[in-house]
Amino acid sequence: MTRSGTNSLAAELLVHLDRASKVPLHRQLGTAIRDGVQSGRLPLGTSLPPTRALAADLGVSRGVVVEAYQQLVAEGYLASRSGGYTQVAAGAQTTPRPTPQAVRPATHAIDFGYGRADVSNFPRAAWLRSIRRVLTEIPSDRFGYLDGRGVPELHLALSDYLNRVRGTVATPDRMVICNGFAQGLALLLRVLSAGGARRIAVEDPSADDDTRPIAAELGLSVTGVPVGPDGIDVAVLDRTEADALVLTPSHQWPTGGVLAPDARAAVARWATRTGALVIEDDYDTEYRYDRAPIGALQGLAPEQVAYAGTASKTLAPGLRLGWLVLPAHLVGPVAEAKVAADRGSPVLDQLTFADFLARGEFDRHLRRMRPVYRRRRDALLGALAEFLPDFEPAGILAGLHLVTWLPSDLDEATVVETAARHGIGVAGLAQYHLGTPPRGGLIFGYATLGEQTIRRGVAQLATALGRRGTVSPPDAVAAT
């Protein structure tokens, strides 16, 4: 009989030795492993336990295991590898191993998908250096359970960075680390709902696909505030009786405008007067190409604004790293909500990002990527001017996407459908409006496409729509 124990190596291999049987032990062992290989339970490449470890677990001499392994090697079921490892050999499996598939398989030949950083430029070498330093230098207690706010090293590094680059008024004790903007928003709305909030205001149009499902789950109503070239209509905001406002003041999503100075001040006054909370989504402002980006609204009213940022647009969305800078009275409740949600974000990722920030690697990465994205945006503007000159670009020179307003003779849904039939992925604006959109528009993401691919995609779209324009005057492009 094998020895008992939940971690038994023999149990993992489904090996059972009958010492009362006349069949030698090494043959019983060989039969059990052979059956596992033939059934596919031990697939190609599976490493078997070392002979000494398995012998000790079975309570037999090492020679029994060695003899069984040698027989299976001779039969082609196993192979001995360098370093003394024994693995299931090639040809011992009847079905091929599945090939890993892309996380998001491509559906279009040219995809102007928006909201994506170019993850092929992720700074792997610098990130790896930070991981090594963390594993070498960080005290062991950092790998235990921490409170819901996250690790102190990242609080310090982020507050220094945000105050320097985004003009926030952030202190380490006001920060909570989360898994991206969606989770940060969910934590905030849960806390607000528990405190009596009943209505959330959002920009119209906006990326409220995060807000609406969370609000519906919590029983909160969502109301839209119209967006113009200079941001939301503050006069309408005054009439909403909202308990919170989700806002993208430094680069409105998706239209690309900037909230005007008088409107920024008016939003801050509204929040102070009503006791409402402004949730500032600062999603991609590091990518401003013509001047320094507008400072965060949080710096103007730190007790009325909850600032939310992430590494999704600047580094990679797969990192699932986000942060909140909160008014003092919300820090404790949001941290408690984070603990209840998932016991805290991964510590190693937080510590790595803290080191990455503190050593200036994040700044270097942004400096390297800004000209890359700027060239791609310029390529898009140039192609639109040449092939689709009646498509009107909107917004400031910033970010990873561009909105274009459609001419009145084109229907947005028809354009999107026609583009898709011709292998071109582009999104319409209508889905981001709460009401009826005043005019049709398209969202072109350019961050993940090369300049020639961008030009080819716009040319093919023009052909699919039956429109081949002439080159617009240079100042028509520069004005965007």
Side-chain angles (χ1 to χ4, degrees):
M1 300 291 291
T2 61
R3 294 181 180 179
S4 62
T6 57
N7 295 321
S8 167
L9 297 173
E12 293 174 9
L13 296 176
L14 294 185
V15 172
H16 175 83
L17 299 183
D18 183 359
R19 286 171 169 77
S21 172
K22 294 181 180 181
V23 179
L25 295 177
H26 71 274
R27 290 187 182 177
Q28 293 184 46
L29 176 58
T31 298
I33 295 174
R34 187 186 298 107
D35 289 346
V37 173
Q38 291 174 343
S39 68
R41 182 170 50 78
L42 298 177
L44 174 65
T46 299
S47 294
L48 298 187
T51 55
R52 293 184 188 278
L54 183 55
D57 189 66
L58 291 169
V60 299
S61 69
R62 179 170 174 259
V64 170
V65 181
V66 170
E67 190 169 356
Y69 279 13
Q70 287 177 343
Q71 179 63 32
L72 293 172
V73 168
E75 293 175 5
Y77 287 97
L78 303 181
S80 295
R81 305 298 184 191
S82 60
Y85 295 104
T86 302
Q87 295 177 312
V88 175
Q93 158 174 305
T94 57
T95 56
R97 302 183 77 184
T99 301
Q101 300 297 313
V103 175
R104 295 180 62 175
T107 55
H108 302 99
I110 299 177
D111 191 356
F112 288 100
Y114 53 87
R116 307 177 196 169
D118 186 352
V119 294
S120 67
N121 279 290
F122 183 81
R124 296 180 185 226
W127 193 261
L128 181 58
R129 288 194 295 270
S130 289
I131 291 176
R132 286 173 173 161
R133 277 191 293 267
V134 165
L135 291 175
T136 302
E137 301 172 6
I138 292 298
S140 298
D141 61 4
R142 286 290 185 264
F143 294 97
Y145 287 108
L146 301 178
D147 65 36
R149 294 182 50 242
V151 300
E153 290 84 355
L154 185 51
H155 298 155
L156 180 60
L158 271 172
S159 59
D160 287 347
Y161 169 79
L162 293 172
N163 292 343
R164 171 172 57 88
V165 174
R166 296 299 302 120
T168 60
V169 180
T171 55
D173 60 315
R174 298 288 188 92
M175 305 198 74
V176 173
I177 306 304
C178 52
N179 301 336
F181 174 74
Q183 188 188 48
L185 177 64
L187 297 175
L188 278 167
L189 293 187
R190 289 185 187 282
V191 169
L192 294 178
S193 176
R198 293 293 174 263
R199 179 173 297 174
I200 307 300
V202 298
E203 298 164 301
D204 189 11
S206 68
D208 69 332
D209 48 345
D210 286 325
T211 308
R212 274 191 281 189
I214 300 168
E217 179 186 346
L218 297 171
L220 301 169
S221 64
V222 176
T223 185
V225 181
V227 170
D230 296 323
I232 61 169
D233 187 331
V234 182
V236 174
L237 176 64
D238 275 330
R239 299 193 294 270
T240 62
E241 298 183 356
D243 299 292
L245 166 67
V246 183
L247 189 65
T248 54
S250 298
H251 187 214
Q252 204 280 327
W253 201 97
T255 62
V258 174
L259 190 62
D262 56 343
R264 291 165 67 90
V267 167
R269 289 195 298 270
W270 166 81
T272 301
R273 183 178 69 255
T274 64
L277 179 71
V278 178
I279 302 172
E280 179 177 10
D281 180 7
D282 198 34
Y283 65 100
D284 72 352
T285 319
E286 286 90 348
Y287 292 127
R288 182 80 189 250
Y289 308 122
D290 58 341
R291 49 164 290 178
I294 299 297
L297 181 63
Q298 189 269 352
L300 187 65
E303 294 304 322
Q304 285 73 47
V305 178
Y307 175 94
T310 80
S312 296
K313 304 296 186 294
T314 50
L315 282 172
L319 292 176
R320 307 313 307 142
L321 274 169
W323 45 90
L324 300 171
V325 182
L326 299 168
H329 70 283
L330 289 176
V331 176
V334 171
E336 291 174 5
K338 173 65 174 171
V339 171
D342 59 14
R343 295 296 184 269
S345 296
V347 169
L348 182 57
D349 295 340
Q350 293 184 61
L351 293 170
T352 300
F353 188 43
D355 183 86
F356 190 82
L357 272 168
R359 294 178 183 273
E361 296 291 356
F362 191 54
D363 295 276
R364 280 187 280 274
H365 175 69
L366 292 174
R367 286 196 298 268
R368 184 167 63 89
M369 293 308 299
R370 283 191 193 101
V372 173
Y373 292 143
R374 171 66 189 266
R375 288 193 298 269
R376 294 174 184 179
R377 182 184 176 89
D378 288 347
L380 175 59
L381 287 168
L384 288 169
E386 180 176 353
F387 299 113
L388 293 167
D390 51 354
F391 281 39
E392 179 188 341
I396 61 173
L397 283 164
L400 306 179
H401 75 277
L402 175 71
V403 163
T404 62
W405 303 115
L406 293 174
S408 58
D409 63 319
L410 288 180
D411 173 71
E412 178 184 304
T414 302
V415 170
V416 172
E417 181 182 346
T418 301
R421 286 202 311 269
H422 288 79
I424 302 163
V426 64
L429 273 176
Q431 61 188 312
Y432 298 108
H433 281 272
L434 273 70
T436 302
R439 64 191 295 194
L442 300 179
I443 309 173
F444 287 89
Y446 49 80
T448 62
L449 300 175
E451 294 158 46
Q452 292 302 317
T453 302
I454 291 170
R455 176 179 169 80
R456 187 169 69 253
V458 175
Q460 291 177 6
L461 177 59
T463 300
L465 297 175
R467 307 170 88 91
R468 296 287 292 193
T470 57
V471 178
S472 298
D475 58 348
V477 174
T480 63

